[in-house]
């Protein structure tokens, strides 16, 4: 076991509701309780900015700054203990820039440099409806899981989406140069197949991990519903790319009328079933859906740790809502045994009593954080 990944000190400056905050923790799970609107979720969002990506809320950087701050600059700093030893990470917005500034041990760094130092997974109340709303939310959830297992996924997805937007723009304008369309379709085919392959590999690993079961949580079943993903399973990569190019060529007139590409990994979906009941997750009760979602995130934490040796911080907003006492106990047991710190929020401290001395408790009120007594 490598040293437990843990935030030992967190400092916020002009972040959301916090003008300034600094508090220290040990390596145990952290429980933050307080009334709605006290600032608990903002702390989890701040922690999410220590890892690569756009943060837990995917907010524009200017929107993260404290409203009373005219410049909307902000900073998150943390001292972490982990496999790389003790490291100081700073993240924030400087001036009018929309690019996040990163510092590691006081030196400017690229966001990708964070990947070997810290990673994070999160659950939010908005995700409780993941299985009953549109496929877009499930694709975003899936792609975050893929990114946790494959650092190149974001670049490939970005290249695919850029080419897709350019192709759609040209088709809507009419009379586009065929050679330029073919070049964009080649880019879509190459990157789209790579995106699909990464998703297939991630879902296979996660499905295997979920089938093992985690305590009282249901053994979820995961599968991909997507034409391109299906091609990658039956064809060599080059053959799948050729088929995708041909499909895009034949679909030009249809896509021009539709205003966008009607085929591609941007239309795929993540299919999730409750293993014990063999039911689609969306047909399960609210509590069962939450349990399935927790099961997937815990499985992802295990997979990510086995692949990289770096366990992720778990940021769990209102995680015990809709979980019965048996599943709360199972969750606390799992979190206490993980090789990374977890941070949880809730309005009722008694709901976390099953942790006992295995966790540290803080109360949040009016953007002030104090140890619970």
């Amino acid at each position: 076991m490598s040293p437990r990944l843990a935030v030992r000190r967190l400092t916020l400056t002009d972040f959301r509701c916090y003008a300034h905050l600094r508090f220290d923790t040990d390596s145990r799970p952290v429980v933050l309780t307080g009334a709605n609107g006290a600032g608990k979720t903002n702390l989890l969002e701040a922690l999410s900015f220590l890892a690569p990506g756009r943060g837990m809320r995917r907010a524009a950087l200017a929107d993260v700054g404290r409203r009373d701050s005219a410049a909307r600059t902000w900073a998150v700093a943390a001292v972490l203990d982990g496999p790389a030893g003790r490291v100081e990470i700073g993240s924030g917005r400087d001036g009018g820039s929309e690019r996040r500034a990163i510092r590691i041990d006081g030196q400017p760094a690229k966001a990708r440099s964070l990947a070997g130092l810290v990673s994070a997974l999160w659950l939010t109340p908005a995700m409780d409806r993941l299985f009953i709303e549109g496929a877009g939310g499930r694709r975003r959830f899936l792609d975050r899981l893929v990114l946790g297992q494959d650092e190149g996924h974001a670049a490939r997805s970005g290249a695919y989406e850029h080419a897709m937007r350019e192709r759609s723009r040209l088709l809507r304008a009419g009379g586009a140069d065929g050679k330029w369309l073919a070049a964009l379709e080649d880019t879509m085919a190459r990157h789209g197949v790579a995106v699909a392959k990464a998703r297939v590999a991630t879902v296979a690993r996660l499905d295997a991990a979920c089938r093992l079961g985690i305590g009282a949580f249901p053994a979820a079943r995961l599968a991909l519903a997507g034409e391109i993903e299906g091609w990658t399973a039956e064809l060599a990569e080059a053959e799948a790319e050729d088929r995708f190019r041909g499909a895009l060529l034949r679909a030009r007139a249809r896509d021009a009328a539709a205003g966008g590409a009607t085929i591609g990994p941007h239309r795929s979906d993540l299919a999730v079933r409750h293993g014990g009941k063999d039911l689609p997750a969306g047909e399960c009760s609210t509590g069962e859906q939450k349990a399935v979602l927790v099961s997937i995130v815990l499985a992802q934490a295990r997979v990510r740790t086995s692949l990289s040796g770096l366990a992720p911080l778990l940021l769990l907003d209102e995680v015990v809502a809709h979980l019965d006492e048996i599943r709360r106990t199972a969750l606390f047991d799992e979190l206490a045994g993980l090789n990374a710190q977890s941070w949880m929020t809730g309005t009722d401290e008694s709901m976390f009593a099953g942790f006992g001395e295995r966790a540290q408790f803080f109360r949040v009120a009016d953007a002030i954080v104090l140890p619970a007594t």
Side-chain angles (χ1 to χ4, degrees), residues 108-123:
K110 301 291 187 182
R112 61 176 177 269
S113 301
L114 298 172
L117 301 174
V118 59
S119 64
L121 290 173
W122 52 79
L123 280 178

Side-chain angles (χ1 to χ4, degrees), residues 223-298:
L224 273 167
E227 192 168 10
I228 310 304
E229 286 81 1
W231 293 348
T232 66
E234 64 185 48
L235 299 172
E237 184 171 352
E239 293 175 313
E241 291 176 6
D242 286 342
R243 182 177 289 189
F244 193 8
R245 287 188 197 92
L248 289 169
L249 174 62
R250 292 188 296 274
R252 286 179 184 177
R254 181 181 66 204
D255 291 352
T262 55
I263 183 173
H266 62 287
R267 299 177 64 85
S268 302
D269 198 357
L270 175 66
V272 179
R273 300 182 72 84
H274 185 300
K277 294 191 170 184
D278 194 27
L279 278 176
E283 296 181 15
C284 295
S285 70
T286 300
E288 288 171 330
Q289 290 183 41
K290 186 64 170 277
V292 168
L293 190 56
V294 171
S295 177
I296 294 171
V297 170
L298 292 177

